Amino acid sequence: MLTKRWNIHQENPDYQAIREAAELLRDGRTVAFPTETVYGLGADATNEAAVSGIFRAKGRPEDNPLIAHVATKEQLRSLVSTLPSVAEKLLDQFTPGPLTVVLPSNGVCAGNVTSGLSTIGVRIPEHPVARELLKACDIPVAAPSANISGKPSPTTADHVWEDLNGKISGLVDGGSTGVGVESTVVDCTQDVPIVLRPGGITKEQLKAAVGSVMVDPALANTEESPKAPGMKYTHYAPEVPMWLVAGTPEDLQAIIDREQDGQKRIGAMVSTATADKLQADRVIQLGSDLREIAASLYDALRIFKNGDVDLIVCETFPQTDIGQAIMNRLKKAATSYVDK
Ligand code: AMP
Ligand code: MG
């Protein structure tokens, strides 16, 4: 399959390119596009065959439902059987933006979007290219992250190209995404909203908006099976084994020294502050605060290819603010968790 690629400047979208991409989506094809979180791989959410194309291209397990993306709250309403007031409050406060609400589906979207569940996840993204594309095609667009299943999510068009060139019909290159980790998924089918996946909107922000918020117990306890089916899969994995190390920079250095003595080449993934105190074969600086670290995380997880280093050592981060999402992803990406 030939993958058509368009380059678009966020501030000055090329409407002809957006119309072409929208036409492909309306025609039942798969098109990747930027959102403010990560790149999504879109297809017409009302067309079962089109949606199958997403699962095929990504190699995504069929029991992992997709998020439907829409341009407006009215369009969101047209996909659900009820819109409880708590969901409405969250939507008014945080959308367009990195929030996905899970609500009872009314069956307008194809059955494979929801993997047969009675609920559907819906999001109104904020990225100008995503918004223009959704407006131009005027259909709900099912869109998971535009990566091969199991790999880190794409935050640049080149990441998408690396994974999906030749497997999808189009790629709208709108530059780097902003937030860097996926949307927060919130189940709004009960009285109290439940965070199923931490993401761009933090639990503290949700609480400030609606009072009580619960967190899916499976996020803290690996014995429980998660309510968001996708959360049970290995995800975000770099090509090289990665140890996630809870400890001081000195603890990290001791592990690096020991493994180097065992003839391993070590790549370190750490904050700017820790990088100043560390020596390894290669050091990737993720940034100086949690927002910067989130934005650079997936690119960093893709940097080391097989053979570059033998082991990645990554430090842990405080689970405050977007740190919850960062640590959730790092725990899934790591082959071992080392608590010093
Ligand atoms: P992705 O789009 O690849 O970032 O993944 C979407 C995430 O949302 C996965 O973890 C899905 O399991 C979750 N999700 C999507 N729809 C639902 C739903 N109806 N109920 C619960 N989780 C969902
Ligand atoms: Mg994904």
Side-chain angles (χ1 to χ4, degrees):
M1 184 186 304
L2 189 72
T3 305
K4 172 139 197 196
R5 181 168 174 166
W6 303 268
N7 286 312
I8 292 195
H9 294 290
Q10 269 202 48
E11 292 74 28
N12 184 18
D14 169 356
Y15 290 100
Q16 178 54 29
I18 286 179
R19 272 194 298 273
E20 280 178 35
E23 211 37 60
L24 284 182
L25 285 171
R26 291 186 64 85
D27 201 29
R29 318 264 211 103
T30 47
V31 175
F33 60 95
T35 80
E36 68 278 15
T37 56
V38 301
Y39 272 74
L41 177 60
D44 179 354
T46 64
N47 176 340
E48 180 134 7
V51 171
S52 300
I54 294 178
F55 285 95
R56 219 173 22 247
K58 281 180 60 83
R60 182 171 172 110
E62 284 177 8
D63 69 348
N64 190 4
L66 309 179
I67 294 168
H69 291 67
V70 292
T72 64
K73 204 163 106 185
E74 290 63 47
Q75 219 182 347
L76 183 150
R77 258 181 220 283
S78 74
L79 305 181
V80 301
S81 54
T82 54
L83 186 59
S85 63
V86 74
E88 192 131 27
K89 254 191 208 163
L90 291 177
L91 289 168
D92 287 344
Q93 183 118 6
F94 299 113
T95 60
L99 177 76
T100 296
V101 286
V102 171
L103 293 164
S105 168
N106 66 3
V108 164
C109 285
N112 53 352
V113 171
T114 59
S115 302
L117 296 177
S118 61
T119 55
I120 183 161
V122 194
R123 169 167 168 228
I124 306 174
E126 189 177 24
H127 193 289
V129 173
R131 292 185 64 71
E132 290 303 329
L133 183 61
L134 289 168
K135 275 196 262 171
C137 63
D138 199 29
I139 44 173
V141 173
S145 50
N147 52 287
I148 297 287
S149 255
K151 287 186 64 172
S153 302
T155 50
T156 67
D158 285 343
H159 295 162
V160 180
W161 198 249
E162 181 180 297
D163 279 12
L164 298 176
N165 180 24
K167 296 183 172 162
I168 60 177
S169 296
L171 165 60
V172 183
D173 178 349
S176 296
T177 59
V179 179
V181 291
E182 296 87 339
S183 61
T184 306
V185 179
V186 182
D187 180 347
C188 295
T189 59
Q190 323 277 322
D191 291 341
V192 178
I194 309 171
V195 177
L196 305 186
R197 175 177 74 180
I201 304 288
T202 65
K203 189 177 68 189
E204 292 74 20
Q205 286 176 289
L206 297 170
K207 275 191 173 157
V210 291
S212 317
V213 174
M214 296 199 299
V215 174
D216 184 357
L219 291 180
N221 175 1
T222 47
E223 304 291 295
E224 301 258 350
S225 102
K227 292 190 176 64
M231 298 295 283
K232 69 177 180 280
Y233 290 108
T234 307
H235 216 149
Y236 319 111
E239 286 188 19
V240 178
M242 182 172 91
W243 292 359
L244 184 59
V245 181
T248 62
E250 293 70 34
D251 294 330
L252 263 79
Q253 189 65 61
I255 289 175
I256 292 168
D257 291 345
R258 190 190 70 205
E259 295 302 315
Q260 282 179 327
D261 283 348
Q263 302 308 311
K264 282 190 180 150
R265 285 161 307 154
I266 311 297
M269 267 177 54
V270 291
S271 67
T272 309
T274 303
D276 290 340
K277 301 179 188 150
L278 218 61
Q279 288 201 328
D281 293 282
R282 192 149 164 219
V283 179
I284 306 287
Q285 297 192 22
L286 294 170
S288 51
D289 62 45
L290 290 174
R291 291 275 153 185
E292 272 181 32
I293 290 165
S296 64
L297 187 65
Y298 290 144
D299 184 60
L301 287 171
R302 281 175 179 262
I303 287 176
F304 293 114
K305 305 293 179 201
N306 277 327
D308 287 349
V309 291
D310 302 301
L311 176 69
I312 302 169
V313 172
C314 180
E315 74 178 324
T316 55
F317 299 99
Q319 302 218 34
T320 52
D321 189 54
I322 204 162
Q324 287 161 16
I326 294 171
M327 284 301 293
N328 171 267
R329 308 309 191 265
L330 282 175
K331 282 182 183 165
K332 286 182 189 298
T335 40
S336 300
Y337 186 83
V338 184
D339 201 350
K340 289 300 290 181

